[in-house]
Every structure is written in structure tokens, then in C-alpha cells.
Amino acid sequence: MASDDGDIHLRWMQAAMDMAEEALEAKEVPVGCVFVRGDKIIARARNRTNQLRNATRHAELEAIDEILANKELTPVVTQYPLSDTTLYVTVEPCIMCASALRQMGIKEVYYGCDNDRFGGCGSVLGVHSVLPHPKHEGYDAHGGYLRDEAIMILRRFYITENTNAPVPKSKANRVLKTEIPSRSSPRPQS
């Protein structure tokens, strides 16, 4: 990866991290994203599952709704309205979001940390491109951008008590772990 390309990816990923911080402040699972088209952020969003009491209100779907509702961003309805758009998201898209991105024709995805429980870009299932689909082409997904920061913000959330959880668990004795196992470099997940 060229240095300039890496700098650009980190700049967009930092914007996604800003949205994750906003989610954390709102007591949501801290996932944030930005959609970039033509070197410009066209949509930014964060998780709103607790706020809206709707498990489908992940950051990616919130932003997709914003893009589709905006006549300037989507002047004509097409089969693949995101074909010239790149997603930067703090956590690997879950299986649901990875599938939606594929159906919308996303150009490619860059993400922070793996989603070992629900990842749809290779950690659990390769919904993004590995699983065959009769109609929708796959997309490239690249992980590891601001990985440590993405892990730490999730840890900051998960040591707190989620009062919005159906059955809140006491976490009074939890300690924030700051050591993160290293990974050599961002890994492409084509």
C-alpha cells in the first residue's frame, strides 16, 4: 500500500472513529462509519440500536438509509447505488450488514477490527465475496485500519453496564484491559 493511500484510509477511518465515539457517548455499542464518494464523505452514521430499540439499526444501515433518501446522493434509483462508494467502518460489518452492502453494490470496505462473533467479511462468514451469490458480485474488504483504537473503544463500552440491555449484567468488578495482541499489518479480505 502506498503511503498516500494509507494516509487517506486512516483519515477516513478516523472520521468513522469519531462516529464511534459519538455512539459511546450515547450508550450505544461504539461502531461508527463513513461512506466516501469522490474523495468526500457523503454519509456518516453510528449504531442506534438502543436508542431506537431496533436490532437492525447498525451504523452501516443507518448511513445507507440516509444515502438512499437523499435525491442529491441518489438522483436515480439503480440496482447498485453504492457502486462508486467506499465504506470505512470501525468494526468488520456483521453478516446482515455485509449482505446489505453486497446487495447495494458497494465498491469496497475498509474496517478497523475483526468481528469474531458476527463478522460477514471473513471472520465468521465471507458474505462479502467468498459465499457465492447468483446475482450480486462480491466486494473487497480490508481490515486492520485503526484496529487497536477500534478494539479499545469496544472494550470501554463493554466494561460498563448497558442499562438498555434486555437483562443488564453487573460489571462492577470488570477492569479495562489495555493490552491488545498484535497483528502484523492490515489484511485484505478479498
Side-chain angles (χ1 to χ4, degrees):
M1 166 185 358
S3 176
D4 289 345
D5 287 348
D7 292 345
I8 289 169
H9 297 313
L10 292 176
R11 181 179 84 186
W12 298 131
M13 189 59 72
Q14 185 56 58
M17 285 299 301
D18 293 344
M19 294 307 298
E21 286 287 348
E22 187 178 304
L24 182 65
E25 289 173 22
K27 298 184 178 175
E28 295 280 356
V29 175
V31 177
C33 71
V34 296
F35 282 75
V36 176
R37 183 184 292 159
D39 200 36
K40 178 182 169 192
I41 293 175
I42 62 165
R44 57 182 82 225
R46 62 171 176 82
N47 276 5
R48 293 178 62 207
T49 58
N50 290 335
Q51 176 186 350
L52 299 175
R53 301 202 182 285
N54 182 338
T56 68
R57 297 294 67 201
H58 291 193
E60 300 94 326
L61 298 182
E62 286 285 303
I64 288 171
D65 285 352
E66 181 181 325
I67 293 166
L68 295 178
N70 185 323
K71 296 290 185 198
E72 290 179 24
L73 298 176
T74 312
V76 178
V77 176
T78 66
Q79 181 176 5
Y80 297 117
L82 301 179
S83 64
D84 58 352
T85 308
T86 299
L87 167 65
Y88 292 85
V89 61
T90 57
V91 177
E92 173 187 0
C94 71
I95 293 165
M96 171 183 70
C97 291
S99 178
L101 292 163
R102 188 167 179 175
Q103 292 175 51
M104 300 299 291
I106 193 78
K107 181 178 174 184
E108 63 187 330
V109 172
Y110 291 86
Y111 63 88
C113 64
D114 293 342
N115 183 341
D116 295 333
R117 293 182 70 194
F118 308 109
C121 293
S123 290
V124 175
L125 280 176
V127 175
H128 70 300
S129 68
V130 178
L131 291 178
H133 194 283
K135 184 175 182 180
H136 304 294
E137 292 293 320
Y139 57 89
D140 290 338
H142 315 276
Y145 293 85
L146 298 185
R147 174 184 172 267
D148 293 359
E149 293 86 341
I151 290 170
M152 285 307 299
I153 195 169
L154 288 169
R155 286 182 179 177
R156 286 171 39 212
F157 174 79
Y158 284 115
I159 66 163
T160 64
E161 293 185 33
N162 181 358
T163 56
N164 294 314
V167 181
K169 297 177 184 173
S170 174
K171 299 185 181 178
N173 297 325
R174 291 233 174 145
V175 175
L176 179 62
K177 296 177 188 175
T178 57
E179 188 173 312
I180 299 172
S182 64
R183 192 169 83 193
S184 58
S185 64
R187 68 178 162 107
Q189 301 232 342
S190 302

